[in-house]
């Protein structure tokens, strides 16, 4: 389910009123992106559906794609009019939002064919970083907009099992991962090795 809320500057954005509820999916929603210019909401779910809904508080929706497994992430690159999705089979797919509905313009299958839960698109360096439930960290060369069909995995190294979140720290060329065991790990990308790690939580780190 997805919910619309209304707030105002006068309230200091501290009070929210629910306007409506949409149910474009039958299972857990794993990612949402909003195109405010045209009033579209993009959503992906573990029900294997990639859906476009209109942000007009109505129940109208269009199915953009169906995956061979549940979706796990959705990232919107507004500048280049692109959407990035991942799924439980280790696939990364890119769609162009210059068409309606969006059309697929590139896809890559990472070496570890398990669920991608950690996902980060670095638009300045033009790389995609993914972390899987199987514990693999992959680096995918994105390239300039228009080159999405040449998407390729350039490196993969062993991380901790059940990676749930991954972030790129550009100043130090490091990756930071959080996993299902509550551990945070900082990785040196040049060596593909952990720099340091600590048990930050007693339970799993979620996103």
């Amino acid at each position: 389910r997805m919910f619309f809320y209304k707030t105002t500057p006068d309230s200091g954005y501290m009070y929210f009123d629910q306007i409506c509820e949409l149910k474009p999916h039958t299972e857990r929603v794993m990612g949402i992106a909003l195109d405010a210019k045209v009033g579209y909401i993009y959503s992906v779910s573990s029900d294997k559906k990639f859906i476009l809904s209109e942000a007009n508080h109505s129940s109208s929706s269009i199915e953009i794609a169906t995956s061979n497994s549940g979706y796990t992430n959705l990232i919107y690159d507004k500048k280049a009019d692109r959407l990035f999705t991942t799924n439980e089979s280790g696939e990364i797919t890119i769609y162009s939002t210059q068409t309606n509905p969006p059309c697929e313009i590139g896809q890559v299958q990472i070496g570890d064919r398990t669920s991608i839960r950690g996902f980060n698109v670095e638009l300045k360096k033009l790389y995609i970083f993914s972390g899987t439930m199987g514990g693999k960290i992959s680096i995918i060369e994105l390239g300039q907009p228009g080159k999405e069909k040449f998407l390729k995995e350039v490196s993969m190294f062993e991380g901790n099992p059940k990676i749930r979140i991954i972030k790129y720290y550009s100043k130090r060329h490091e990756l930071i991962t959080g996993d299902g065991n509550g551990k945070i790990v900082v990785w040196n990308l040049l060596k593909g090795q952990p720099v340091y790690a600590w048990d930050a939580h007693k339970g799993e780190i979620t996103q």
Side-chain angles (χ1 to χ4, degrees):
R1 296 183 292 174
M2 300 189 298
F3 299 90
F4 283 84
Y5 292 92
K6 182 178 180 179
T7 186
T8 63
D10 294 340
S11 70
Y13 302 104
M14 297 295 292
Y15 298 99
F16 298 85
D17 293 321
Q18 183 177 322
I19 299 174
C20 73
E21 172 186 337
L22 299 181
K23 295 182 179 179
H25 298 282
T26 58
E27 296 181 17
R28 180 181 177 185
V29 177
M30 299 299 292
I32 293 176
L34 171 67
D35 187 340
K37 289 183 179 180
V38 293
Y40 291 154
I41 299 172
Y42 305 102
S43 60
V44 295
S45 167
S46 56
D47 66 4
K48 306 179 184 180
K49 304 294 184 182
F50 179 15
I51 299 291
L52 183 157
S53 304
E54 294 186 19
N56 58 5
H57 311 160
S58 71
S59 58
S60 61
S61 62
I62 300 172
E63 184 178 308
I64 298 171
T66 301
S67 175
N68 59 7
S69 62
Y71 285 101
T72 53
N73 287 282
L74 174 65
I75 291 178
Y76 184 25
D77 175 11
K78 295 181 181 180
K79 186 175 180 180
D81 298 317
R82 298 180 296 187
L83 289 160
F84 299 81
T85 68
T86 66
N87 67 15
E88 295 171 353
S89 302
E91 294 176 340
I92 298 171
T93 307
I94 307 177
Y95 296 85
S96 170
T97 59
Q98 293 180 345
T99 62
N100 184 28
C103 62
E104 182 181 323
I105 55 175
Q107 186 181 76
V108 64
Q109 172 74 65
I110 64 170
D112 179 17
R113 296 171 179 264
T114 61
S115 178
I116 298 173
R117 291 300 302 273
F119 190 54
N120 184 214
V121 180
E122 175 49 53
L123 297 174
K124 290 183 179 180
K125 299 292 184 180
L126 298 175
Y127 282 99
I128 297 172
F129 304 99
S130 68
T132 70
M133 295 298 282
K136 298 293 192 302
I137 296 172
S138 291
I139 303 173
I140 296 94
E141 190 174 48
L142 175 58
Q144 296 290 341
K147 302 291 185 180
E148 291 85 0
K149 66 180 180 180
F150 301 112
L151 209 65
K152 64 178 180 180
E153 186 178 43
V154 295
S155 180
M156 183 174 69
F157 55 94
E158 191 75 34
N160 285 353
K162 299 181 181 180
I163 295 173
R164 301 295 296 271
I165 187 169
I166 189 166
K167 297 295 180 183
Y168 175 61
Y169 184 25
S170 59
K171 289 184 178 180
R172 299 181 62 168
H173 203 52
E174 294 175 338
L175 279 180
I176 303 169
T177 63
D179 61 41
N181 297 316
K183 187 183 294 294
I184 294 177
V185 185
V186 179
W187 301 84
N188 182 312
L189 279 181
L190 297 177
K191 298 180 180 180
Q193 296 178 348
V195 180
Y196 53 92
W198 66 98
D199 294 316
H201 299 274
K202 294 181 180 180
E204 63 183 42
I205 295 173
T206 60
Q207 175 175 304

